[in-house]
Amino acid sequence: MSRRADQSERLERALDGGPIPHDEETRQMLAAAGTLRPDTRRSPARVRAAKEAMLREYERAQNPQEAREDAGTGDGLDEPEIHREEVELPGGGHLVLTDIEAITPERVERTADRIARILQSSEQKDRLS
């Protein structure tokens, strides 16, 4: 039997759980094979956390919450009222303000002035270019 075949056979026996050979080459090959094997150790903390999560989910599925008779009333999830104001801008523009909060006349005026200034400044830039 050739030397290479002998080494291969010793390596296979060692990988199958047989006696570990004492020669340095085979030990190095075993170490290399061990680094290629995927790590199968599991963290005990992660196993425990997964088990606890499964038990919590099982408990929740077995004991669903009872539906409240007053569900949907006063829980803040009702449809909010949408406020809307339309304003004509100088120069023929049209502005629509929409908000879930009340829109005051002062807010409408401030916003319209701000938009009018932005439009005027962009018109002036267009004339310069």
Side-chain angles (χ1 to χ4, degrees):
M1 184 181 284
S2 72
R3 182 171 183 255
R4 175 162 262 173
D6 185 43
Q7 282 180 333
S8 176
E9 187 178 303
R10 283 185 290 171
L11 179 62
E12 283 185 42
R13 266 188 280 142
L15 289 172
D16 288 337
I20 298 175
H22 295 291
D23 65 295
E24 187 61 29
E25 285 180 344
T26 308
R27 279 199 298 235
Q28 287 176 354
M29 287 190 285
L30 280 172
T35 61
L36 296 174
R37 184 180 56 215
D39 187 17
T40 56
R41 290 177 285 157
R42 295 185 292 173
S43 163
R46 291 182 74 189
V47 170
R48 188 172 40 258
K51 183 178 178 182
E52 289 170 0
M54 287 188 300
L55 290 174
R56 277 193 311 270
E57 185 60 27
Y58 176 77
E59 182 70 27
R60 188 185 69 76
Q62 295 300 315
N63 301 312
Q65 288 184 336
E66 293 181 21
R68 293 186 351 238
E69 289 182 26
D70 64 340
T73 57
D75 58 4
L77 300 176
D78 298 330
E79 285 291 320
E81 181 181 353
I82 304 294
H83 302 277
R84 178 185 169 127
E85 291 287 331
E86 295 185 25
V87 180
E88 293 293 326
L89 295 173
H94 189 77
L95 174 66
V96 178
L97 296 173
T98 308
D99 200 341
I100 59 173
E101 294 179 9
I103 301 172
T104 62
E106 296 84 24
R107 185 172 168 200
V108 172
E109 195 173 314
R110 273 194 324 245
T111 306
D113 289 342
R114 206 173 297 143
I115 298 297
R117 278 188 307 224
I118 292 169
L119 291 174
Q120 285 175 352
S121 106
S122 68
E123 286 175 5
Q124 289 173 355
K125 288 180 186 176
D126 288 344
R127 287 186 196 141
L128 293 174
S129 54

